[in-house]
Amino acid sequence: SQKIEQNSEALNIQEGKTATLTCNYTNYSPAYLQWYRQDPGRGPVFLLLIRENEKEKRKERLKVTFDTTLKQSLFHITASQPADSATYLCALDNYGQNFVFGPGTRLSVLP
Amino acid sequence: GAVVSQHPSRVICKSGTSVKIECRSLDFQATTMFWYRQFPKQSLMLMATSNEGSKATYEQGVEKDKFLINHASLTLSTLTVTSAHPEDSSFYICSARRTGWNSPLHFGNGTRLTVT
């Protein structure tokens, strides 16, 4: 059965450092991989989308990589700030069918 | 950007009563909307796909008679939790895609349902 894992339930890093979150999947061939941010008591907010034929995508301090051989995506936040503290979810999409979310990683950026 | 509005944000009801949650796409038409349920510190669980003008598609294990979905217009989908029980207490979130299947999901801010 399909399985999506995110490296850890929680991740603590120091302000200014780069946060790296991992999303691994099995038994799935996604056409797209997306990353969302969710704050407590709120709905997720879309951050970045990367296609299966793209290796890397950047947006301001965010960078996403997608390795379909390893079945893995890495999500980086450079120069992290306390305001980046939130839960980050990866999501796999296969042409609109079978849109699946990972369990999320709760990131805490310590001042 | 696209905005999805969900109402109410919080609701407390007694066992046996029904609760209706509304999800509106404010600046785009959504032929398809999605309803999720989320337990504390867990990820989103897709409950059903709401299709404008037709019946919703429910995920396995989700009772369609318990969770009634109506998508009467291109901007409004409603989820009614019927005969609510304490185990229905959860965080319910709706979402919609602005355009095609390869566009991201836009989420409402969720509804915290507490059944006493």
Side-chain angles (χ1 to χ4, degrees):
Chain A
S1 61
Q2 299 164 359
K3 192 173 182 181
I4 305 174
E5 294 178 324
Q6 293 190 238
N7 55 327
S8 54
E9 185 177 328
L11 180 66
N12 296 330
I13 64 165
Q14 210 65 39
E15 182 177 7
K17 301 292 186 184
T18 296
T20 299
L21 285 63
T22 305
C23 176
N24 294 293
Y25 59 92
T26 55
N27 298 322
Y28 200 110
S29 296
Y32 295 83
L33 191 144
Q34 303 181 21
W35 284 89
Y36 290 79
R37 168 182 173 144
Q38 186 176 24
D39 291 286
R42 312 280 284 187
V45 174
F46 169 75
L47 296 174
L48 279 169
L49 178 154
I50 187 165
R51 295 175 174 79
E52 61 179 335
N53 59 352
E54 296 176 317
K55 296 291 185 184
E56 182 179 298
K57 205 75 165 288
R58 291 176 184 260
K59 179 182 178 183
E60 297 172 352
R61 294 185 295 113
L62 308 180
K63 185 177 85 171
V64 172
T65 63
F66 192 10
D67 188 326
T68 54
T69 301
L70 291 178
K71 294 185 182 295
Q72 180 182 80
S73 174
L74 299 179
F75 177 79
H76 306 274
I77 306 175
T78 59
S80 60
Q81 304 165 1
D84 296 325
S85 298
T87 296
Y88 291 86
L89 305 164
C90 68
L92 305 182
D93 189 3
N94 189 8
Y95 300 101
Q97 309 292 324
N98 237 353
F99 196 98
V100 183
F101 281 90
T105 295
R106 191 169 64 254
L107 174 68
S108 297
V109 180
L110 308 173
Chain B
V3 177
V4 173
S5 174
Q6 189 171 341
H7 179 80
S9 58
R10 293 178 182 271
V11 58
I12 301 172
C13 70
K14 293 185 177 180
S15 282
T17 61
S18 295
V19 173
K20 180 184 282 189
I21 303 169
E22 291 188 350
C23 181
R24 294 179 185 274
S25 56
L26 298 184
D27 59 350
F28 66 101
Q29 294 183 331
T31 55
T32 303
M33 290 185 175
F34 306 91
W35 287 96
Y36 291 84
R37 183 173 180 174
Q38 188 174 35
F39 292 102
K41 296 186 178 181
Q42 293 189 27
S43 191
L44 301 162
M45 182 191 79
L46 179 64
M47 298 175 64
T49 301
S50 172
N51 305 298
E52 187 268 335
S54 65
K55 291 182 180 180
T57 305
Y58 290 82
E59 295 300 301
Q60 192 172 12
V62 178
E63 299 176 59
K64 61 180 181 181
D65 295 329
K66 173 78 171 173
F67 299 99
L68 298 179
I69 291 173
N70 186 293
H71 196 152
S73 77
L74 286 171
T75 59
L76 174 64
S77 175
T78 60
L79 168 68
T80 301
V81 183
T82 63
S83 187
H85 291 286
E87 56 265 31
D88 298 325
S89 298
S90 190
F91 191 53
Y92 294 87
I93 315 176
C94 70
S95 71
R97 278 197 166 101
R98 187 186 182 94
T99 52
W101 54 263
N102 57 352
S103 60
L105 290 175
H106 299 280
F107 286 86
N109 271 327
T111 297
R112 172 73 60 194
L113 170 64
T114 303
V115 184
T116 61

